[in-house]
Amino acid sequence: PKLRVTWALPGWYSETSAWMREKLYGLGIEMDGDLEQHNLSPCSAVLKARSDIGDLYLKASPSYCNEAVISEILAEVDPVRVMKPLIADGEKRIFIAKDNGGPVKCMISGRLECRLMKDLALLQKASESKVHELIKAGVPNFTLEWTTEHLYDMLEDEELSFMKESSVLQKVKAKREGIRRLLQKLDRLTCKLPATLVHGDVGRHNLFLRQDESQGFGFFDWDYSFIGLPLLDVEAWAYPGTEIDS
């Protein structure tokens, strides 16, 4: 079917396996055995391979975000917190990366939570200079300014046609002018904070502990990322005792 995700199409696994072997061979890396399914979801597929330099992961993510390109861009501006892919193919929306040691298994609270907030803020700040490049790569633009301007158009989008008779959608449409005013007010209250990349799913399952002197955090999995208000990533951690997990 036309709408089927690429990794569910006949021949995808064999073609992808051959592609990965060829690309790794070009880097002087040899795979040991076949690709194994590591994780599968409607958003992405992750395959694991053993090699002569350790475990490697291939991720296919043809969602609205081009994660292959996002990972390369972020690794360029903040190589400390985002691991650079060994191979990234933006056209195929596939990339290969070394094992980063994640996800984090320990509870995150106290000093660790403060460290996480610092690392997240530094990564967001680094992404500010690449906002236009990220949008060009396919990252959705959900800044307050853009959302306010396009609110009416979004509610009439054809992709919401299946919800045409939904009472929830009708209620939102009925209050769209009030929502627009609230967005404008929020823009003023946040003092025009700069737009940055928002991860969209900052939890232990998408973090790894860096093996450097700071013992800080690194980030991966950008399936739900977008350009917007940086506070949206820290809101869920703003309450004492909050622990985000998968």
Side-chain angles (χ1 to χ4, degrees):
K2 182 179 284 189
L3 297 180
R4 182 174 289 179
V5 291
T6 55
W7 51 89
L9 295 174
W12 181 84
Y13 175 83
S14 58
E15 291 174 9
T16 302
S17 296
W19 176 86
M20 183 172 182
R21 286 184 185 278
E22 180 185 349
K23 293 296 183 182
L24 290 176
Y25 182 78
L27 296 178
I29 302 170
E30 186 174 342
M31 279 177 55
D32 180 13
D34 296 327
L35 280 172
E36 304 169 6
Q37 181 176 305
H38 180 71
N39 190 34
L40 198 64
S41 76
C43 296
S44 61
V46 180
L47 304 178
K48 180 180 179 179
R50 303 188 187 283
S51 78
D52 55 0
I53 64 167
D55 291 342
L56 303 175
Y57 293 88
L58 177 146
K59 184 171 184 179
S61 183
S63 58
Y64 56 80
C65 289
N66 194 333
E67 191 169 355
V69 177
I70 292 173
S71 298
E72 280 205 307
I73 292 174
L74 292 180
E76 178 187 338
V77 295
D78 194 351
V80 173
R81 294 167 187 85
V82 179
M83 185 178 289
K84 182 177 175 61
L86 286 171
I87 300 164
D89 189 321
E91 187 175 338
K92 288 180 177 290
R93 292 175 174 255
I94 289 178
F95 68 96
I96 302 169
K98 293 181 180 180
D99 189 345
N100 58 29
V104 171
K105 294 180 174 62
C106 63
M107 295 292 287
I108 300 176
S109 59
R111 290 184 178 179
L112 274 180
E113 189 173 13
C114 291
R115 179 73 239 189
L116 171 60
M117 292 298 100
K118 180 178 180 180
D119 281 321
L120 181 58
L122 289 169
L123 176 57
Q124 288 176 331
K125 186 172 178 61
S127 74
E128 185 185 349
S129 65
K130 295 291 185 177
V131 162
H132 295 297
E133 193 173 336
L134 288 163
I135 292 174
K136 187 177 179 181
V139 179
N141 181 0
F142 290 148
T143 59
L144 289 172
E145 182 180 0
W146 187 94
T147 306
T148 302
E149 182 181 346
H150 294 87
L151 178 63
Y152 284 24
D153 293 336
M154 286 193 295
L155 292 174
E156 299 298 336
D157 195 289
E158 289 184 4
E159 291 190 13
L160 294 178
S161 59
F162 72 97
M163 294 180 63
K164 190 174 181 180
E165 306 302 326
S166 166
S167 60
V168 174
L169 182 59
Q170 297 308 316
K171 287 179 181 178
V172 172
K173 285 185 175 182
K175 296 181 179 181
R176 55 190 175 186
E177 183 54 32
I179 294 172
R180 191 180 68 82
R181 289 197 297 269
L182 284 173
L183 288 170
Q184 291 175 326
K185 184 177 181 180
L186 181 59
D187 197 21
R188 293 194 297 272
L189 289 173
T190 53
C191 303
K192 297 286 186 181
L193 281 173
T196 69
L197 182 71
V198 178
H199 185 287
D201 191 18
V202 179
R204 289 189 296 171
H205 52 295
N206 290 328
L207 301 171
F208 64 91
L209 289 171
R210 305 200 310 270
Q211 302 302 312
D212 56 21
E213 292 182 2
S214 71
Q215 296 183 334
F217 290 92
F219 303 82
F220 62 97
D221 194 346
W222 305 94
D223 281 336
Y224 300 106
S225 62
F226 59 92
I227 302 300
L229 191 65
L231 291 175
L232 293 173
D233 261 343
V234 303
E235 185 273 336
W237 291 86
Y239 306 99
T242 297
E243 172 63 30
I244 301 178
D245 204 349
S246 56

